[in-house]
Amino acid sequence: MAEIVIELTKKQTEFDKAIELYENTFFGGSKGGGKSHGIREITLKRSMSIPYSRNVIFRKTYPELYNNHIDPLLTKFPVLRQYYNNQNKEIKLPNKALFAFRHCQYERDLALNQGVEWHTLGIDEVGEWSEDWFWTLKGSNRSGNPNIKARTIMTGNPGGIGHKWLKRLFIDRNYRPNIEHPEDFGFIPAFVQDNPALMKNDPKYIERLRSNKNQQLVKAYLEGSWDIQAGQFFDMVSRETHMINPFEIPDHWERMGMFDTGYNHPAAFIWMAMDTDGNCYIYREYLQSRKRTEEISADVMSFDDCRKIKAIPAGHDCWTKHAGDPSVEEKFAEASKNQLVLHKAAIDRVAGAAQVRDYLVLRPSAQLNPDGTPKMKPRLFIFKTCPMTFDTLVRMTHDDKKPEDVLKVDATAEEPLTGDDLYDALRYGLMDRPRISQNPPTPKRRRFFKDEDDSTSSWTTV
């Protein structure tokens, strides 16, 4: 067999190495990142290097399978044509390994592929598949040979029917207990800049992607952003821009709390600090359902820095009384011994949505780029330890009946992360006009000088 040279980019090589570490590896992100080329060359490499192995690449339809894999592979490596069976769509290599090509568009196609053993299960553009279909195919990824590890390898872009479950497994890393295990899932981000051949042969490709009027698609196809969804209200939200690593909050920074009460739907509390430039930093979050006000107050008070909180705007329902019972505001104050005192927030929803958007948009900052232009930054940053607040902002969509407002979404006690409670709390806080912190006064230095009128030439301090 003539020599076959496998050519991989730096990022495709990362993908190849990750396959040895994880049972399920996903190479995903922007368009043009070399994902299809990577999965095709790596599957061929595994077929040639593992005798008797059974390897496959799936696409949704046969035309996609032929145009993206079969034809490019046989064109680049003509020597493989003698081993290719056009009827079965399979390459049987001299080392007895099998490299197959399959499409799976309908339920009947899915049924035909159940029960087949694949050592390397490759799914190109896995975002076109539902989670149920993925797990059904995943059942065929097994190995009865102790010398061959079963591996599932995937590529895909943000968006599509599989967006939600791919984001859950590989981006948010939110796993079902005792069913899915973190150590089994690896993610390699793909960006168009990682594909040197495309950048050389089509230098205007990025420009064409940027020209799309749908900024959601630009974020998905160019930036590889997974924080997108149809009708997204805060479409400027970016994990790379707005989420930052935690740091120790300086003592002189102002701090405030924000509160949205609830019982069956969750109660939300957010801690926020403000720097001397007016930037805001969400550094702690709290979301709990079916807890009494006294319990919520105790939970919040368990953090020592609560004594530094200067203001806590809250929804007006905190002042509602039922059958003569104390209000939430009264219970909160009593339980915290008046250390946590709520005040009524500005609750106009349209104005609140505009205020949140204003803090999220990018604007020129005091920092400069290498070319001397101002760096563009938002005024609101979220610590990576507060993922629920970030995800809530991402999920917020337009209200069809009132496009300038965020659609109201109620969570349940069983699914507390599906509501808008943290958004409401944040809206209350930003509508409260967060204070700008003042730099601490410069300590006076003790000065020493010689009193020239003093005949003793003594030294005096002031």
Side-chain angles (χ1 to χ4, degrees):
M1 184 175 178
E3 182 181 5
I4 291 178
V5 179
I6 302 296
E7 297 176 318
L8 300 176
T9 66
K10 181 179 179 181
K11 188 54 70 77
Q12 290 165 354
T13 301
E14 287 183 37
F15 180 34
D16 186 29
K17 291 179 179 179
I19 294 169
E20 298 301 319
L21 302 176
Y22 304 101
E23 182 182 326
N24 309 282
T25 307
F26 180 41
F27 185 30
S30 67
K31 281 183 174 293
K35 301 183 297 297
S36 293
H37 176 274
I39 195 172
R40 181 173 65 248
E41 299 265 322
I42 289 171
T43 304
L44 175 61
K45 174 175 175 283
R46 292 178 65 82
S47 301
M48 294 191 302
S49 60
I50 308 175
Y52 299 96
S53 62
R54 295 176 52 82
N55 314 278
V56 65
I57 288 181
F58 276 88
R59 277 295 297 252
K60 192 77 172 180
T61 67
Y62 176 72
E64 292 172 319
L65 189 66
Y66 179 81
N67 292 325
N68 287 278
H69 293 292
I70 298 176
D71 184 58
L73 190 70
L74 298 181
T75 299
K76 183 176 182 179
F77 304 115
V79 66
L80 294 176
R81 293 182 183 275
Q82 62 184 302
Y83 305 108
Y84 179 65
N85 184 314
N86 186 55
Q87 182 176 354
N88 296 332
K89 308 297 185 289
E90 295 174 348
I91 297 174
K92 293 186 177 180
L93 296 170
N95 67 351
K96 309 302 180 182
L98 179 71
F99 185 179
F101 304 90
R102 299 287 185 266
H103 67 279
C104 196
Q105 186 174 6
Y106 305 108
E107 290 279 355
R108 64 175 180 271
D109 301 324
L110 188 65
L112 287 174
N113 287 285
Q114 293 186 53
V116 180
E117 179 176 300
W118 298 113
H119 300 136
T120 302
L121 172 65
I123 307 177
D124 192 25
E125 295 298 342
V126 68
E128 298 178 355
W129 303 61
S130 69
E131 185 172 6
D132 289 342
W133 279 39
F134 166 72
W135 286 113
T136 298
L137 268 187
K138 173 69 180 171
S140 65
N141 183 214
R142 59 186 184 274
S143 175
N145 187 332
N147 298 317
I148 302 177
K149 295 179 180 179
R151 289 291 186 262
T152 296
I153 60 178
M154 299 160 278
T155 70
N157 303 309
I161 190 175
H163 178 96
K164 186 175 181 180
W165 67 265
L166 285 169
K167 183 173 183 289
R168 178 181 69 84
L169 288 174
F170 295 97
I171 309 302
D172 299 336
R173 300 187 65 80
N174 180 19
Y175 302 108
R176 293 176 290 179
N178 304 319
I179 299 176
E180 300 159 349
H181 307 285
E183 63 272 17
D184 292 338
F185 297 88
F187 174 61
I188 303 298
F191 300 99
V192 63
Q193 294 85 351
D194 297 324
N195 190 344
L198 179 62
M199 293 293 93
K200 179 180 179 180
N201 298 327
D202 192 355
K204 293 188 176 181
Y205 182 77
I206 291 180
E207 184 179 326
R208 292 200 302 275
L209 288 182
R210 290 190 191 279
S211 66
N212 195 309
K213 293 182 179 180
N214 187 333
Q215 289 304 300
Q216 291 287 89
L217 293 181
V218 173
K219 288 177 67 175
Y221 295 162
L222 181 58
E223 302 174 18
S225 173
W226 291 87
D227 300 312
I228 62 169
Q229 63 181 51
Q232 186 177 20
F233 193 94
F234 302 110
D235 56 2
M236 72 292 295
V237 172
S238 165
R239 190 176 299 266
E240 293 73 25
T241 301
H242 294 92
M243 291 199 85
I244 62 174
N245 291 320
F247 58 84
E248 186 174 351
I249 305 293
D251 286 339
H252 67 279
W253 283 15
E254 299 274 356
R255 306 189 192 208
M256 67 182 297
M258 307 158 230
F259 182 57
D260 184 52
T261 190
Y263 182 76
N264 285 321
H265 75 83
F269 196 98
I270 294 175
W271 288 256
M272 189 166 74
M274 291 73 73
D275 68 15
T276 55
D277 294 321
N279 298 312
C280 297
Y281 301 81
I282 295 174
Y283 66 92
R284 189 180 296 127
E285 60 185 10
Y286 175 91
L287 190 71
Q288 291 289 337
S289 58
R290 292 182 176 171
K291 278 205 168 188
R292 295 180 295 106
T293 301
E294 294 83 356
E295 294 177 296
I296 298 169
S297 178
D299 289 344
V300 173
M301 284 295 296
S302 66
F303 296 96
D304 293 338
D305 61 353
C306 282
R307 59 184 173 80
K308 299 179 181 180
I309 291 178
K310 298 292 181 65
I312 307 176
H316 291 191
D317 47 355
C318 290
W319 281 262
T320 302
K321 294 188 177 184
H322 299 281
D325 290 340
S327 66
V328 169
E329 182 270 336
E330 291 171 328
K331 292 179 180 178
F332 221 82
E334 181 180 358
S336 67
K337 297 181 179 179
N338 289 318
Q339 289 194 53
L340 299 176
V341 179
L342 310 181
H343 68 262
K344 290 185 177 181
I347 60 173
D348 185 281
R349 290 185 59 86
V350 172
Q355 183 79 331
V356 174
R357 183 190 293 274
D358 187 60
Y359 272 82
L360 290 170
V361 296
L362 302 182
R363 61 189 68 226
S365 70
Q367 295 181 336
L368 300 178
N369 292 308
D371 62 0
T373 58
K375 287 187 176 181
M376 303 296 288
K377 290 189 175 184
R379 288 195 294 161
L380 178 67
F381 299 92
I382 304 171
F383 280 14
K384 290 180 179 179
T385 49
C386 301
M388 295 186 295
T389 302
F390 178 82
D391 289 340
T392 300
L393 285 173
V394 169
R395 286 189 289 101
M396 295 298 95
T397 59
H398 289 271
D399 187 336
D400 291 337
K401 297 179 180 179
K402 204 174 191 180
E404 295 304 313
D405 189 14
V406 171
L407 181 66
K408 179 66 179 171
V409 182
D410 290 327
T412 63
E414 291 73 25
E415 296 183 313
L417 299 181
T418 59
D420 58 5
D421 307 280
L422 283 164
Y423 163 69
D424 282 340
L426 177 60
R427 172 167 60 90
Y428 299 152
L430 295 181
M431 283 293 287
D432 210 50
R433 298 183 181 276
R435 299 183 183 185
I436 298 177
S437 299
Q438 301 299 314
N439 283 315
T442 303
K444 292 183 178 181
R445 287 191 309 165
R446 299 186 70 189
R447 292 185 295 112
F448 296 82
F449 67 93
K450 182 177 179 181
D451 188 346
E452 296 180 356
D453 295 331
D454 188 350
S455 61
T456 60
S457 298
S458 63
W459 292 88
T460 306
T461 64
V462 295

